[in-house]
Amino acid sequence: MASYLTPEQDQRLRRWETVNKSYFIFAFLAMICLLVFSSQLGLSSGDSWGPLGVLLALLIIPIIVLQLRLKCPACERPIGWQAKLMAPDQCRHCGVFLRARR
């Protein structure tokens, strides 16, 4: 018998997916703008990445934090890097399907 998430657990997981996707899109666009306009903004030169490197790290760190914060709503064990932008289909620890039964 396959187990599924409750509607509340599913809603919590979908909220994580929405936040994760939204931040990824924002960070991607911000990184492109930073890289394209870094010399005009005075953030980098041919020799030094100083402030540009710090800004890129500040954009990437939340992506890592979001990935590490994801936990299976059923067993509360970290899913971590098993998820990319979306939650995986099934938790590898407890076997629950991470999609509510429709």
Side-chain angles (χ1 to χ4, degrees):
M1 176 83 181
S3 58
Y4 292 88
L5 296 177
T6 64
E8 295 82 24
Q9 291 171 331
D10 185 61
Q11 182 181 14
R12 196 168 72 197
L13 194 61
R14 298 306 143 237
R15 192 174 319 120
W16 176 87
E17 287 180 341
T18 302
V19 169
N20 195 34
K21 283 189 298 187
S22 299
Y23 183 77
F24 182 82
I25 291 168
F26 163 76
F28 183 75
L29 294 174
M31 279 191 245
I32 288 173
C33 290
L34 280 174
L35 292 172
V36 168
F37 299 112
S38 63
S39 61
Q40 287 87 359
L41 295 171
L43 297 174
S44 70
S45 65
D47 301 328
S48 172
W49 276 58
L52 179 61
V54 171
L55 289 174
L56 291 175
L58 289 175
L59 284 171
I60 293 171
I61 288 171
I63 294 171
I64 295 168
V65 170
L66 280 170
Q67 286 298 119
L68 297 178
R69 284 188 59 206
L70 178 62
K71 295 183 184 211
C72 173
C75 69
E76 295 298 324
R77 294 187 68 185
I79 292 176
W81 298 111
Q82 183 183 1
K84 302 301 181 217
L85 283 177
M86 306 286 282
D89 292 334
Q90 191 171 13
C91 176
R92 66 179 165 190
H93 301 292
C94 67
V96 69
F97 287 101
L98 298 175
R99 306 279 178 219
R101 194 173 6 199
R102 304 274 182 230

